[in-house]
Amino acid sequence: MRTNNDIIVNGEDASASITSEPYSLQNMIGFSITASFVGGTPAGTIKLQISNDRADNGAPPSTWVDLLKPTDSSTAISAAGNVVWNYQNAFYRWVRVVWTRTGGSSTLTVTANAKGF
């Protein structure tokens, strides 16, 4: 079994909105993502977006949609702490994290883990 474990947002200032790098799920069957807000009082919404773009020639995906099933991935944030998503049978090609700030500040780190064959 193959696993990936990568930091896709590395200690960035969450006093501005942040979009992570695309995380490849190709040949993966499930993934888990942890977003950690450290310090301060962040205010906003964090969510997952997915893409099935081929992204040929190393180009990044250009078509993104909010992950809504099996449950809405959007989570309101009003304090430092962690948010974890865990998806099985994830047959998307790409996933990314989008932080939309409405107030406050913090530091954001996002770690992605995927398993496949």
Side-chain angles (χ1 to χ4, degrees):
M1 179 163 289
R2 192 176 119 220
T3 63
N4 288 348
N5 186 269
D6 297 296
I7 295 173
I8 59 174
V9 175
N10 192 4
E12 291 190 31
D13 182 0
S15 63
S17 294
I18 299 169
T19 299
S20 77
E21 292 295 318
Y23 183 70
S24 176
L25 296 174
Q26 191 159 352
N27 300 319
M28 298 298 179
I29 57 172
F31 69 93
S32 176
I33 293 179
T34 301
S36 298
F37 291 91
V38 177
T41 307
T45 304
I46 193 162
K47 66 183 175 183
L48 300 181
Q49 290 186 327
I50 56 169
S51 176
N52 282 323
D53 283 4
R54 289 181 54 153
D56 292 327
N57 301 320
S62 59
T63 305
W64 292 95
V65 296
D66 294 351
L67 181 54
L68 300 175
K69 294 181 181 179
T71 60
D72 186 353
S73 72
S74 182
T75 302
I77 302 296
S78 60
N82 300 314
V83 177
V84 178
W85 297 274
N86 188 41
Y87 285 89
Q88 298 177 25
N89 299 319
F91 298 110
Y92 323 112
R93 195 168 211 151
W94 302 93
V95 65
R96 72 179 181 184
V97 175
V98 177
W99 161 247
T100 304
R101 178 192 178 266
T102 58
S105 65
S106 188
T107 301
L108 176 62
T109 298
V110 179
T111 305
N113 185 56
K115 292 184 180 181
F117 296 97

